[in-house]
Amino acid sequence: MKMHRLFTVVPAALAMNLVFTDANFAKNPPSVINANLRTDPLVLNGNSGGSVASNCGNIPAEPSQVIKVEESLPYLRVTVESQGQPTLLIAGPGGRFCVQADSYSGGKAEMSGFWQAGEYSFYIGESSKRQYNYTLSISQQQKPSN
């Protein structure tokens, strides 16, 4: 009798754990990037900022976007725009990088260069404690020089 109860409780507990943790992939599946983007730029939207104070601004506790780069790419440019002062914390195979908006990039948080294959978590933050709608653009086109 005890064994039957164990087989009922354990699967139910595992299912509930998947529902209430980051392992719920159906909620926010990764966007896949490869050498041939369907649309260039790929544009994703959301809300910047969050409740976690970090050296990369106020970021959300969970990734804003997850990007899977299927093959190493010689050049990829990621740009975040919002009405505020956006920040971008990227956690991926090469480590963690913080990009802040600056005057050189026109008030946008922007990073470009070589990207190795792997999964990247993007935390779209904000320098202030406010939240704004953001636009995340991912492009393989080189930015024209000024």
Side-chain angles (χ1 to χ4, degrees):
M1 196 64 136
K2 288 183 182 180
M3 189 63 100
H4 175 67
R5 185 178 304 154
L6 181 63
F7 284 122
T8 304
V9 173
V10 171
L14 287 172
M16 292 303 288
N17 189 34
L18 287 173
V19 168
F20 293 112
T21 65
D22 289 343
N24 188 3
F25 296 117
K27 180 177 96 175
N28 198 9
S31 296
V32 178
I33 306 283
N34 58 37
N36 299 312
L37 280 175
R38 278 191 236 161
T39 59
D40 195 343
L42 171 65
V43 177
L44 304 168
N45 298 295
N47 292 314
S48 67
S51 60
V52 178
S54 75
N55 62 350
C56 198
N58 296 295
I59 60 172
E62 313 251 342
S64 306
Q65 303 287 336
V66 177
I67 307 297
K68 182 177 181 181
V69 177
E70 288 191 317
E71 58 193 274
S72 293
L73 299 171
Y75 183 84
L76 196 65
R77 180 170 31 97
V78 176
T79 306
V80 178
E81 296 181 68
S82 78
Q83 294 298 313
Q85 295 177 324
T87 64
L88 173 60
L89 176 65
I90 302 171
R96 293 171 60 107
F97 303 93
C98 176
V99 184
Q100 306 220 3
D102 59 23
S103 59
Y104 176 74
S105 61
K108 305 169 190 166
E110 187 170 85
M111 182 174 167
S112 62
F114 173 83
W115 288 65
Q116 71 185 64
E119 194 165 280
Y120 295 84
S121 295
F122 289 19
Y123 298 82
I124 314 290
E126 173 59 39
S127 292
S128 71
K129 293 191 179 203
R130 298 187 62 191
Q131 290 188 325
Y132 297 93
N133 293 329
Y134 72 77
T135 300
L136 170 67
S137 301
I138 302 172
S139 178
Q140 293 176 319
Q141 301 298 313
Q142 300 246 355
K143 193 175 185 179
S145 55
N146 296 332

